[in-house]
Amino acid sequence: MRNRTTVARALSYGSETLGAMSQTPPLRARAEIDLAALRANVRALRARAPRAALMAVVKSDAYGHGIVPCAKAALEAGATWLGTATPHEALTLRAAGIQARVMCWLWTPGGPWREAIEADLDMSVSGLWALREVTAAAREAGRPARIHLKCDTGLGRNGCQPADWPELVAAALAAEAEGTVEVTGLWSHLACADEPGHPSITAQLDLFRDLVAYAEKAGITPEVRHIANSPATLTLPETHFDLVRTGIAIYGVSPSPELGTPADFGLRPVMTLAASVALVKQVPAGHGVSYGHHYVTAEETTLGLVPLGYADGIPRHASGRGPVLVGGKWRRVAGRVAMDQFVVDLGPDGGAVAEGTEALLFGPGDRGEPTAEDWAQAAGTIAYEIVTRIGTRVPRVYLNEDSDE
């Protein structure tokens, strides 16, 4: 196995390109993606649901971590399905040569149904319009489409309403008889699995069981029935059925602080976001900092410029609150986060910090750095958003690409 800190894949993001190199490069900024941690997380989640297959959800560029490297690492660790929101994300996996089962669920009229059928994808159908489009595409392709019928058990987003379920099931059975579809899955999505004890969990589970039983009695023979997301996989074994869909948890982020920390579940954060301090300077007391002068220095002090901003995904809502580890100490964003940069007040003794010093925004916390959850608290959001929004201008540096098994 290669050195565990080797960057071994050349990737281009915007104008910054990484080639093979023996150490982390001195970049403006970087998001280090620890694929060994991701593989370990997948194994930990498989242990939580030992009787169910595991789907690694890699939508939104694997929650900002990089869809293809993360998909491959998840499969190496025992995931047998991959999940995406859009068909274009799923087709990206196929273009990369990934042949595992891939399900995509967010369709709009006129979507690339035929391309998805020819790429051997599993597709979600929530209504008659989608069934009509996928069966027409299957006739054109000359082969059946694999579909999962989705029921809305209470989330109120996508999925067929219970009152319309019999009609959708009957139409799917007719399409199966025609040879244009194979119903390979029945599924739904939980609304409040990240809120322990929420009454909607039991209500949705009961309804899901009823709708599945109806479909099976009518003649549907699904390969998999699935409703569990990350929080349900971690805490609700009764939701596991045949397949669990794990998204944020495979990236080592807790789906909810109320459920526990990543460490509580045996998970490790996969992304570390860092930058090189671009400028250090002394300023007098009363000096305004960044747009609007919402921060004014209370005394003579040292300011450090961190070259990341909201164009890179740093939340502007964290202005004045976002934590950063610089020079061995936690600092806070001083003033407003700008498009490309923000400032930290290093204090009167901040002269020990120099240009090029590493600023750690978040990571696993091993070096005392903040976590994605700390940034979520500072921005009034969830950790999902913190990692997913890190933009393509920030290069991803992949660590431990070789499988550790």
Side-chain angles (χ1 to χ4, degrees):
M1 186 173 68
R2 287 195 299 263
N3 185 311
R4 295 178 65 84
T5 59
T6 295
V7 179
R9 181 180 299 275
L11 292 172
S12 176
Y13 290 86
S15 61
E16 299 190 50
T17 302
L18 302 185
M21 53 194 76
S22 60
Q23 294 182 351
T24 302
L27 299 170
R28 171 188 69 93
R30 64 188 182 278
E32 295 180 353
I33 310 300
D34 186 351
L35 295 178
L38 188 146
R39 287 189 290 268
N41 294 338
V42 169
R43 290 192 289 268
L45 290 162
R46 287 174 58 205
R48 291 270 177 173
R51 292 180 296 277
L54 185 137
M55 174 187 289
V57 179
V58 292
K59 64 180 180 177
S60 189
D61 199 30
Y63 291 59
H65 293 68
I67 185 170
V68 172
C70 289
K72 290 180 176 179
L75 293 171
E76 290 168 355
T80 52
W81 287 72
L82 299 171
T84 71
T86 72
H88 297 93
E89 292 171 329
L91 292 170
T92 294
L93 294 170
R94 289 289 189 252
I98 294 173
Q99 296 304 312
R101 292 290 288 275
V102 179
M103 179 187 172
C104 50
W105 49 77
L106 190 57
W107 288 85
T108 52
W113 297 101
R114 179 168 178 174
E115 293 93 325
I117 293 167
E118 292 174 341
D120 217 23
L121 303 179
D122 284 63
M123 296 157 283
S124 180
V125 167
S126 294
L128 291 175
W129 75 265
L131 186 61
R132 285 192 294 268
E133 291 203 5
V134 75
T135 53
R139 293 186 196 102
E140 293 176 2
R143 56 185 290 188
R146 289 205 302 259
I147 65 171
H148 294 225
L149 300 182
K150 185 176 186 183
C151 50
D152 181 0
T153 55
L155 179 59
R157 292 191 323 197
N158 217 341
C160 177
Q161 280 291 289
D164 300 324
W165 188 244
E167 185 179 20
L168 181 61
V169 167
L173 284 167
E176 275 199 321
E178 180 190 25
T180 51
V181 304
E182 297 173 3
V183 181
T184 52
L186 299 172
W187 76 298
S188 190
H189 196 51
L190 293 166
C192 302
D194 57 348
E195 299 179 39
H198 197 283
S200 70
I201 297 170
T202 298
Q204 282 196 256
L205 268 180
D206 289 345
L207 181 55
F208 182 62
R209 291 189 182 100
D210 289 346
L211 295 176
V212 166
Y214 176 90
E216 292 179 338
K217 185 176 180 180
I220 299 290
T221 55
E223 179 182 343
V224 288
R225 300 158 300 156
H226 50 110
I227 193 171
N229 53 6
S230 283
T233 300
L234 290 168
T235 64
L236 299 168
E238 66 272 25
T239 68
H240 292 174
F241 292 93
D242 306 304
L243 175 71
V244 294
R245 305 185 307 269
T246 52
I248 195 65
I250 72 171
Y251 307 104
V253 176
S254 172
S256 170
E258 290 75 23
L259 293 179
T261 66
D264 291 333
F265 298 115
L267 305 175
R268 179 176 174 79
V270 172
M271 181 187 290
T272 296
L273 181 63
S276 295
V277 173
L279 179 68
V280 177
K281 63 182 179 182
Q282 301 290 318
V283 298
H287 199 294
V289 177
S290 197
Y291 293 122
H293 285 182
H294 290 268
Y295 183 86
V296 177
T297 58
E299 58 185 331
E300 183 177 338
T301 191
T302 304
L303 301 180
L305 184 67
V306 179
L308 283 168
Y310 59 76
D312 303 295
I314 307 305
R316 191 170 182 269
H317 284 317
S319 295
R321 296 186 299 275
V324 190
L325 182 72
V326 185
K329 295 181 181 179
W330 270 40
R331 324 284 182 171
R332 297 281 175 181
V333 175
R336 283 185 178 167
V337 174
M339 183 178 289
D340 311 301
Q341 55 200 283
F342 64 84
V343 175
V344 292
D345 189 337
L346 300 170
D349 59 346
V353 175
E355 287 83 0
T357 297
E358 183 177 63
L360 279 174
L361 280 76
F362 60 80
D366 297 347
R367 291 177 279 173
E369 76 274 16
T371 64
E373 181 58 37
D374 291 318
W375 272 86
Q377 294 294 326
T381 185
I382 57 176
Y384 297 65
E385 184 178 358
I386 298 302
V387 294
T388 302
R389 70 188 296 162
I390 301 304
T392 56
R393 196 166 68 167
V394 179
R396 271 55 171 177
V397 178
Y398 291 94
L399 311 182
N400 305 314
E401 288 194 299
D402 285 344
S403 176
D404 45 5
E405 283 193 331

